[in-house]
Amino acid sequence: MMPKQTTDVDRLVGLRITALRKARGLSQTALGTAVGVTFQQVQKYEKGQNRVGAGRLREIARLLEVPVSAFFEDDDADGTQSDVFGFLSAQGAIELLRAYALIENDQLRRDALAIVRTISKMGKPAPGSEAAEEATK
């Protein structure tokens, strides 16, 4: 019999646990304590090195206040849910969203968004440039 190996689904579940845990502001230690495992075990779940059992995944979903289905690939045609998890896994994304949500003034929110959009364009090569053509290859 071959040993059990983790799969792409295990890694996907791990990435989503990470994103949802961070969105809730929980540490790996806090999540582990709440579900009865060590923070090292939570690390292994999040990296996809160990599979999360069904009962434990259900408990994690309850603690993170999401349905168990949130940890798996979605069936929505436009891929919105997978896009969201991709964005949330970017370094600093959750902190940026938290800070943005704390801005109460609508005009200041629009200004902050405009600044971030401008900064995001600064790192991209100009259309038609040699660097832009290289980026599309």
Side-chain angles (χ1 to χ4, degrees), residues 6-33 35 37-53 56-57 60 64 71 89 94:
T6 57
T7 65
D8 289 341
V9 172
D10 298 315
R11 286 181 281 284
L12 173 70
V13 168
L15 288 172
R16 292 187 175 184
I17 289 173
T18 302
L20 291 165
R21 174 184 59 77
K22 287 180 177 179
R24 291 277 177 213
L26 289 175
S27 67
Q28 290 176 330
T29 301
L31 180 60
T33 300
V35 298
V37 299
T38 64
F39 80 89
Q40 292 97 332
Q41 186 62 45
V42 172
Q43 285 177 333
K44 290 179 181 182
Y45 290 155
E46 290 183 355
K47 291 180 181 178
Q49 293 173 330
N50 285 7
R51 290 183 174 165
V52 184
R56 184 146 298 130
L57 187 61
I60 290 169
L64 298 176
F71 299 111
S89 65
I94 292 173

Side-chain angles (χ1 to χ4, degrees), residues 37-113:
V37 299
T38 64
F39 80 89
Q40 292 97 332
Q41 186 62 45
V42 172
Q43 285 177 333
K44 290 179 181 182
Y45 290 155
E46 290 183 355
K47 291 180 181 178
Q49 293 173 330
N50 285 7
R51 290 183 174 165
V52 184
R56 184 146 298 130
L57 187 61
R58 188 172 124 200
E59 182 64 11
I60 290 169
R62 186 188 67 74
L63 288 164
L64 298 176
E65 300 176 5
V66 297
V68 173
S69 61
F71 299 111
F72 299 96
E73 289 186 275
D74 53 31
D75 294 326
D76 64 328
D78 64 358
T80 303
Q81 187 174 350
S82 55
D83 286 348
V84 168
F85 282 103
F87 293 138
L88 290 177
S89 65
Q91 185 72 31
I94 292 173
E95 291 84 356
L96 181 62
L97 286 172
R98 277 196 185 124
Y100 182 81
L102 291 173
I103 302 170
E104 294 180 8
N105 181 291
D106 288 340
Q107 183 59 50
L108 288 175
R109 271 192 185 187
R110 285 191 292 275
D111 292 345
L113 184 56

Side-chain angles (χ1 to χ4, degrees), residues 96 109-125:
L96 181 62
R109 271 192 185 187
R110 285 191 292 275
D111 292 345
L113 184 56
I115 290 168
V116 172
R117 285 183 175 147
T118 300
I119 292 170
S120 72
K121 292 175 185 174
M122 293 173 81
K124 295 181 181 177

